[in-house]
Amino acid sequence: TPSERIRNFCIIAHIDHGKSTLADRMLQLTGVVDERAMRAQYLDRMDIERERGITVKSQAVRMPWQVDGVNYALNMIDTPGHVDFTYEVSRSLAACEGAILLVDAAQGIEAQTLANLYLAMENDLTIIPVLNKIDLPGADPEKYAAEIGSLVGVAPEDVLRVSGKTGVGVPELLDHVVRTLPAPVGNADGPCRAMIFDSVYDTYRGVVTYVRVFDGELSPRERIEMMSTGAVHDLLEIGVISPEPVPTKGLGPGEVGYLITGVKDVRQSKVGDTVTSARRGATEALAGYSDPKPMVFSGLFPIDGSDYPALRDALDKLKLNDAALNYEPETSTALGFGFRVGFLGLLHLEIIRERLEREFDLDLIATAPSVIYHVTMEDGTEVGVYNPSDFPEGKVREIREPVTRATILAPAEYIGAIMELCQSKRGQLQGMDYLSEDRVELRYILPLAEIVFDFFDQLKSRTKGYASLDYEVEGEQAADLVKVDMLLQGEPVDAFSAVVHRDRAYGYGVEMAGKLKNLIPRQQFEVPIQAAIGARIIARENIRAMRKDVLSKCYGGDISRKRKLLEKQKEGKKRMKNIGSVEVPQEAFIAALSSD
Ligand code: GTP
């Protein structure tokens, strides 16, 4: 297709605002999928995505559409809609000339959508503001048209109104895409440059790589080079998705499609990388490539130690499809063999954990998520700490922690509650704007460690679920942080070490000591549980010695809530861990680590 007749666009929307439904409707109206074959939620392929209602992996579909008797090819590129995947979103946006900003006409815009809208504007995309679900009785298009109109800089009456469900307004929207989005421009004669905006591992075909060609032409059966690594691969197949993969004779400037090289790991086909021809290829890569950087770390341990090899195999499998997933073996005195795993953020952690448990049938315990600290010692040496138990001994000059730029959107009545929460989480207010009379946008600098702790849950509960949050990691700050150790009879229990702000150290120590006291059975002798910062004890509990007439297996406290975990431990297979001379059943540690 000549580039004047191509339009590349994506849909920016909050979860549940109806992106998949609208996309399905477009596929059907353009004849790409007929009604009978139209699977609900066509674009969301993974089960978890469907169940959780989130889209993690982006894909691209080509749709024919006629305007004034001229045939156009519309490429719809699906963007992931979640906080942790900002980089992937930015690459999908970079593959497009325009974006449909889709907002639920009964809800208004959410923080995540706003963040992605700004990202699209920075990428100079043409924005088409659209209100969806106008068929809903609760829809208030007038109110929200003014809100999103002013964000995008158009009059309220120029905000399109559609219903993905009934199809109202959708043909007009497709016409609008053709008329208002610029056609892609590229150098047709130069060496090929195509950007990878997604790559997906397929069991049968290996990695399927989604690309947008900017310059030149990719033709089948040539050898291609990945410019970030210089790796050369044979091109086995190239084509477009409509809605199934259809091989083509090549992809020209402005076109969007897929390629298959036979590589088996998405790490060899990285999002953001530039593909060129191996012979007489481009010398300069397209701008914007960066390696995915894990920001949140957690130890994952199998509850049943004999599952360790299965956990390793499962992680190896998931890694094929997730270039951002990082892990290395970790051994813990309390939890045995496991892995230290790096994630893009909390949602990424949750998705991986859920897939491990569901798709691989593993029972796991995760240690509290932590971030990377950069520690400068008195003597000037610098250490990166990915795991609180690896915190260096000795005199520390400075500790730096990652900070985020966070945006919170909420009804104005919750401003006070949100400010109070952010303040208690060491947030610094950067600004506040009214989006409309009763909705505000608050901007904060917040430590990432506070966000991964329990920020989101608290935000939701203090605003009755109305607030939405987006954050992006942006640099580091020095902070007054300390490592708190939990000691059993003077011996540290590694899985419970935490790096916390000095003001929070005491609270953490008291809480953990209390929990452990209730979970660890009595021994023949008295066992002190202590929380310590270095050599200084900040909290203490005692497990009293067993009395002669009381037999073992006597748990104190209420463990009924932990039953689900405990049941998994078969009787007779109970593993005891020795911390110094104290014998502790492993499930006591597991129970102490499981939140609630
Ligand atoms: P993610 O895939 O998680 O991003 O969600 P989504 O934005 O794709 O939302 P989805 O299309 O799954 O729609 C969310 C819910 O809204 C579903 O229950 C849909 O049936 C409903 N919905 C979507 N579009 C419309 C619409 O135009 N009108 C009405 N009444 N409901 C709609």
Side-chain angles (χ1 to χ4, degrees):
T1 312
S3 57
E4 318 82 75
R5 288 205 249 124
I6 299 174
R7 298 292 183 272
N8 296 319
F9 71 97
C10 56
I11 304 176
I12 298 175
H14 191 71
I15 335 164
D16 271 353
H17 282 204
K19 181 168 76 176
S20 307
T21 308
L22 178 65
D24 288 347
R25 181 62 63 190
M26 288 178 167
L27 293 176
Q28 183 217 337
L29 283 170
T30 55
V32 170
V33 181
D34 68 47
E35 188 125 34
R36 199 171 44 87
M38 182 166 125
R39 257 194 284 146
Q41 312 265 325
Y42 194 85
L43 290 172
D44 287 16
R45 295 217 164 155
M46 292 199 299
D47 280 354
I48 287 191
E49 287 187 7
R50 195 163 308 169
E51 279 178 40
R52 299 175 59 115
I54 58 167
T55 310
V56 179
K57 277 290 170 189
S58 51
Q59 292 186 327
V61 194
R62 177 169 163 141
M63 304 178 287
W65 190 245
Q66 213 181 49
V67 174
D68 300 332
V70 181
N71 291 317
Y72 292 87
L74 310 185
N75 293 308
M76 174 165 56
I77 292 171
D78 196 21
T79 51
H82 250 286
V83 264
D84 291 350
F85 304 98
T86 304
Y87 178 68
E88 293 191 15
V89 175
S90 82
R91 294 306 86 203
S92 323
L93 294 176
C96 301
E97 277 72 34
I100 292 175
L101 172 66
L102 189 73
V103 174
D104 186 325
Q107 306 270 326
I109 199 162
E110 306 278 353
Q112 181 62 42
T113 315
L114 195 62
N116 288 341
L117 169 65
Y118 292 155
L119 211 53
M121 288 170 154
E122 281 165 28
N123 276 276
D124 290 325
L125 265 57
T126 301
I127 311 290
I128 302 178
V130 179
L131 287 170
N132 191 26
K133 308 196 188 180
I134 52 162
D135 62 295
L136 279 181
D140 191 351
E142 297 319 311
K143 173 178 170 189
Y144 294 117
E147 191 175 290
I148 69 172
S150 75
L151 278 171
V152 179
V154 304
E157 55 275 20
D158 292 334
V159 174
L160 303 191
R161 286 135 214 243
V162 307
S163 165
K165 189 168 175 178
T166 67
V168 171
V170 182
E172 291 79 3
L173 172 57
L174 290 168
D175 290 347
H176 201 78
V177 165
V178 169
R179 293 210 167 95
T180 59
L181 296 193
V185 280
N187 178 0
D189 304 321
C192 172
R193 290 201 298 175
M195 186 196 64
I196 300 177
F197 60 88
D198 199 4
S199 64
V200 180
Y201 175 78
D202 179 283
T203 328
Y204 301 104
R205 315 218 54 187
V207 173
V208 179
T209 302
Y210 292 86
V211 292
R212 149 76 195 259
V213 179
F214 281 85
D215 301 318
E217 175 131 359
L218 269 181
S219 38
R221 311 239 159 255
E222 70 175 314
R223 285 165 76 77
I224 55 163
E225 181 189 323
M226 302 295 181
M227 291 189 75
S228 75
T229 55
V232 171
H233 304 288
D234 284 321
L235 204 49
L236 303 180
E237 184 178 317
I238 179 168
V240 297
I241 310 278
S242 192
E244 300 297 338
V246 185
T248 61
K249 295 208 200 73
L251 292 174
E255 288 197 288
V256 170
Y258 70 94
L259 54 89
I260 291 172
T261 62
V263 302
K264 290 277 181 274
D265 180 339
V266 290
R267 264 155 247 260
Q268 294 170 275
S269 206
K270 300 183 204 170
V271 170
D273 203 352
T274 301
V275 177
T276 191
S277 312
R279 283 183 53 220
R280 281 172 287 133
T283 46
E284 202 174 320
L286 296 160
Y289 174 71
S290 85
D291 266 327
K293 253 198 246 105
M295 296 305 306
V296 172
F297 295 80
S298 169
L300 291 183
F301 295 86
I303 286 179
D304 182 340
S306 66
D307 279 343
Y308 177 78
L311 174 58
R312 190 188 48 220
D313 289 349
L315 284 168
D316 287 346
K317 280 219 179 71
L318 289 182
K319 179 172 141 178
L320 293 176
N321 210 357
D322 189 342
L325 184 66
N326 269 278
Y327 49 90
E328 51 184 54
E330 175 178 8
T331 318
S332 152
T333 39
L335 301 170
F337 293 106
F339 292 90
R340 188 85 194 153
V341 190
F343 304 94
L344 293 170
L346 272 188
L347 178 82
H348 189 210
L349 185 161
E350 239 176 82
I351 291 171
I352 295 297
R353 191 173 160 185
E354 214 168 300
R355 292 190 66 180
L356 289 169
E357 298 198 321
R358 207 187 293 194
E359 293 170 30
F360 298 91
D361 205 19
L362 293 163
D363 293 319
L364 300 174
I365 183 75
T367 58
S370 72
V371 302
I372 307 170
Y373 297 99
H374 285 112
V375 182
T376 311
M377 308 301 290
E378 246 350 308
D379 64 8
T381 40
E382 301 227 2
V383 194
V385 177
Y386 296 78
N387 186 345
S389 65
D390 294 340
F391 203 84
E393 305 279 332
K395 266 219 170 322
V396 167
R397 186 188 300 161
E398 186 184 69
I399 305 175
R400 289 184 314 285
E401 63 174 347
V403 286
T404 67
R405 190 169 281 284
T407 306
I408 299 165
L409 288 193
E413 58 186 298
Y414 297 113
I415 293 176
I418 294 169
M419 287 186 159
E420 207 178 305
L421 171 66
C422 290
Q423 204 136 21
S424 75
K425 300 288 185 187
R426 302 188 282 132
Q428 301 154 31
L429 183 62
Q430 300 296 297
M432 181 170 98
D433 285 312
Y434 278 82
L435 293 185
S436 61
E437 242 169 64
D438 54 359
R439 286 224 305 160
V440 286
E441 175 193 351
L442 292 135
R443 292 182 301 279
Y444 271 92
I445 300 283
L446 273 163
L448 179 63
E450 300 288 351
I451 289 187
V452 304
F453 190 57
D454 64 347
F455 186 84
F456 193 61
D457 290 343
Q458 287 211 31
L459 180 69
K460 285 285 175 194
S461 78
R462 288 182 192 212
T463 60
K464 302 205 169 63
Y466 282 114
S468 62
L469 166 76
D470 178 70
Y471 65 88
E472 198 175 350
V473 175
E474 213 181 71
E476 289 186 330
Q477 71 180 14
D480 190 10
L481 302 168
V482 290
K483 178 200 184 197
V484 179
D485 289 315
M486 298 306 301
L487 312 176
L488 264 189
Q489 236 196 5
E491 291 283 328
V493 189
D494 53 8
F496 295 97
S497 295
V499 175
V500 295
H501 192 262
R502 194 178 298 274
D503 295 345
R504 176 87 55 65
Y506 175 74
Y508 177 81
V510 169
E511 187 195 329
M512 284 325 287
K515 253 189 186 177
L516 288 171
K517 178 189 172 177
N518 285 334
L519 290 163
I520 296 174
R522 290 184 184 186
Q523 315 273 319
Q524 305 288 351
F525 42 88
E526 184 176 277
V527 178
I529 303 171
Q530 297 161 310
I533 300 175
R536 194 160 60 86
I537 304 300
I538 56 169
R540 180 187 171 116
E541 293 274 0
N542 276 324
I543 304 172
R544 276 180 295 144
M546 219 176 340
R547 289 213 313 268
K548 284 275 153 17
D549 55 340
V550 179
L551 286 171
S552 56
K553 288 188 189 165
C554 134
Y555 282 93
D558 168 29
I559 56 159
S560 60
R561 285 179 298 145
K562 318 290 185 194
R563 188 107 326 146
K564 183 173 167 275
L565 282 171
L566 296 176
E567 271 171 4
K568 294 184 172 147
Q569 282 284 325
K570 283 178 211 90
E571 202 55 54
K573 258 185 83 180
K574 194 178 280 181
R575 279 167 305 151
M576 304 300 277
K577 297 282 167 182
N578 286 313
I579 307 290
S581 53
V582 187
E583 275 208 327
V584 184
Q586 183 172 329
E587 60 260 42
F589 291 130
I590 292 170
L593 274 173
S594 54
S595 53
D596 71 292

